[in-house]
Amino acid sequence: NLGQKEEAILNFEKVFKNYKTSELASASVLEIGNIYRSQKNFNSAIIIYNSGISELKKSAKIPEFQYNKGITFLEMSNFQEAYSVFEEVVTYYPQTIFADKSKIELALIDIAAGRFTTAEQYLNTLAEKRTDELGAKSQYYLGQSLYDQGKYNEAITSLVRVRTVYSGYEEWLVRSYLLLGDCYVKLNDKRNAAEMYRAVVTKYS
């Protein structure tokens, strides 16, 4: 908290090395990883996550180590490695929240690569299963995937569901209004497009 990051790393490393049976060892791995990532020292972050995975085999935090490792590869723009790590989380830790978070990341990589069918399988599963922010995010990106394919009416159906099912999650609600507006523009429905944009301007001026 004082910004003394190197000193913080040294102390977290002591906990990790000397108290491996404590959950604080796992917490220390995550803290060290966060510090390295904040410094854009991504290789060191990968090394500490790998150390946690190999040395704290009984820790409940292993799925989180793996997920953070995948996110670090994304931050390095190493999409292939990230994809492999996220697939491991989904395969080996299917009951954890990090498996569902990994499915969203896999879907986003698939959308970027034009693998829309695979992406939509992940997103549909999550949108049907979850009623929290992950569900809202999945529902929105399902709309985004359909929009990217030019399936504007289907995208509208998906995005309207964000409003009806996940209205409590404002970030995804706002994004859905904006993308709905874009869909209506593509369909040359200017009245509905204006209504969507106006809803955002009115509420978030």
Side-chain angles (χ1 to χ4, degrees), residues 7 42 56 71 75 83 87 93 99 110 149 164 169:
E7 192 73 20
F42 299 124
L56 303 175
I71 293 293
E75 290 166 341
Y83 202 90
E87 280 188 320
Y93 309 100
D110 283 328
Q149 296 171 74
T164 56
Y169 298 98

Side-chain angles (χ1 to χ4, degrees), residues 128-147:
E128 289 170 11
K129 169 184 171 185
R130 303 194 70 99
T131 56
D132 58 2
E133 187 172 6
L134 279 183
K137 188 175 181 179
S138 302
Q139 190 68 56
Y140 169 80
Y141 278 113
L142 184 57
Q144 180 74 64
S145 175
L146 293 162
Y147 176 86

